[in-house]
Amino acid sequence: MTTSASLSATTSGDSHAARERGGLWLMVAGGAMLGTLGIFLEEAGQSPFMAVWFRCAFGLLALTAWFAATRRWHELRLSGAARVAAVSAGVLAVVNWLLFFEAIERTSIGVATVVVHVQPFLVMAFGAWWWKERVSPAQGIAALAALTGLALASGWLDGALTGAGGSSRYLGGIALALLNSVGYAALTLIALRARSVSPLALAWWQCSVGAVALVWWPLTQGWPAAGPAWAWLAGMGVIHTGFAYMVLYAGVARLSAGRVAALQFVYPATAVAVEWLVYGRALSASQLLGVGAMLVALGVAGAERTRRL
């Protein structure tokens, strides 16, 4: 009986380890896919409003196809507080995407993406403020390191050392990315409170809200000319909103909250690397140092959260 119990425990442990490994690779794949989003935006050559509408419309098609294939329509039927939360999250998500795309146009793919990823620390701060959650010393130090890294990654030090500062357009882009980060923190808090709504159902509602709310833009401003732009725009919806979200959420379901937080570094790291490889736009030494500080801080915060859970 002891041998049987030992074999059962070993099998269970191996199964759990395999599930975690699968979740890790899914998270890495999803983050890597999202890291190419800026390339699609630049190659499409469209305004943020046009890009966001296409992302919502094609994302909606992709997610609807997934719900149809898996026969999980019941997840989309919401009522009461759940529906209010989903619609509110949808409005917030659309505003966030508009801010993010505008920030990319004013700064760069890598800088805007890195600045937005101060969001986990904002969630931690909001949680401590609103819900009186305890912040450990390690988390506090990680947050300070992340803010320092953010200042470096934004190019602030380079401007101060050269006396050039930054153009109003560039600084405006940094401000939009920071505002976007605040919005994503709020969106995360809504998702945490709306636990009765599955993550993919929430994404479907976000795309639905965006597709309806922004359809006036292509109708009044005109559709993109037939050609490659349509493929890039469709890719933003199908790949970066439909497929990437499916992969990411499948990974999230297999991992602890702490490991999920730590793996968020894949997205900004990929965005920085892809921009350098495709366009030859590399960050300065101080900016790379800032990115490194933020990624290490994110890892520390994630590890600390895992330990406390």
Side-chain angles (χ1 to χ4, degrees):
M1 182 174 294
T2 302
T3 302
S4 177
S6 299
L7 286 174
S8 177
T10 301
T11 302
S12 177
D14 290 344
S15 176
H16 178 73
R19 179 178 173 81
E20 287 245 324
R21 282 196 301 273
L24 186 148
W25 285 113
L26 286 168
M27 284 286 294
V28 169
M33 274 190 281
L34 286 176
T36 65
L37 173 62
I39 305 300
F40 281 66
L41 176 65
E42 291 211 12
E43 294 302 316
Q46 302 297 313
S47 70
F49 276 91
M50 187 72 78
V52 171
W53 184 82
F54 267 89
R55 183 178 188 183
C56 290
F58 280 94
L60 179 60
L61 290 175
L63 290 170
T64 300
W66 182 87
F67 278 105
T70 57
R71 300 180 182 276
R72 295 170 63 174
W73 294 112
H74 63 280
E75 294 183 19
L76 301 179
R77 292 193 290 271
L78 306 178
S79 60
R83 181 183 295 173
V84 172
V87 173
S88 300
V91 173
L92 195 53
V94 170
V95 173
N96 284 340
W97 287 343
L98 288 170
L99 291 173
F100 181 49
F101 288 173
E102 186 64 38
I104 287 177
E105 287 195 354
R106 292 167 178 258
T107 56
S108 71
I109 296 169
V111 168
T113 305
V114 168
V115 171
V116 167
H117 275 77
V118 75
Q119 170 260 343
F121 298 99
L122 295 177
V123 171
M124 182 179 71
F126 291 160
W129 181 26
W130 291 339
W131 300 333
K132 308 304 179 185
E133 293 181 347
R134 188 176 70 85
V135 177
S136 70
Q139 287 176 311
I141 293 172
L144 290 175
L147 292 176
T148 302
L150 174 63
L152 292 172
S154 68
W156 171 82
L157 180 62
D158 295 332
L161 290 176
T162 60
S167 69
S168 58
R169 178 177 174 81
Y170 183 90
L171 294 177
I174 295 294
L176 289 174
L178 283 172
L179 188 58
N180 183 15
S181 186
V182 173
Y184 271 123
L187 185 59
T188 301
L189 295 176
I190 291 175
L192 288 173
R193 289 303 184 185
R195 295 188 182 276
S196 62
V197 186
S198 71
L200 280 177
L202 196 60
W204 185 92
W205 276 89
Q206 290 170 1
C207 289
S208 298
V209 170
V212 172
L214 296 181
V215 70
W216 61 272
W217 184 267
L219 292 178
T220 59
Q221 302 300 313
W223 299 90
W230 278 78
W232 291 109
L233 290 167
M236 290 170 57
V238 175
I239 298 173
H240 300 107
T241 308
F243 190 53
Y245 280 18
M246 294 175 206
V247 171
L248 278 172
Y249 291 142
V252 167
R254 302 181 182 202
L255 296 172
S256 65
R259 296 197 73 179
V260 169
L263 285 169
Q264 289 189 48
F265 78 89
V266 175
Y267 178 8
T270 301
V272 170
V274 167
E275 184 173 29
W276 171 60
L277 289 171
V278 176
Y279 297 119
R281 297 197 295 256
L283 300 182
S284 68
S286 65
Q287 286 179 301
L288 288 174
L289 180 63
V291 172
M294 289 187 68
L295 299 185
V296 170
L298 195 60
V300 170
E304 176 67 8
R305 186 174 180 184
T306 299
R307 186 187 69 78
R308 291 173 63 183
L309 291 174

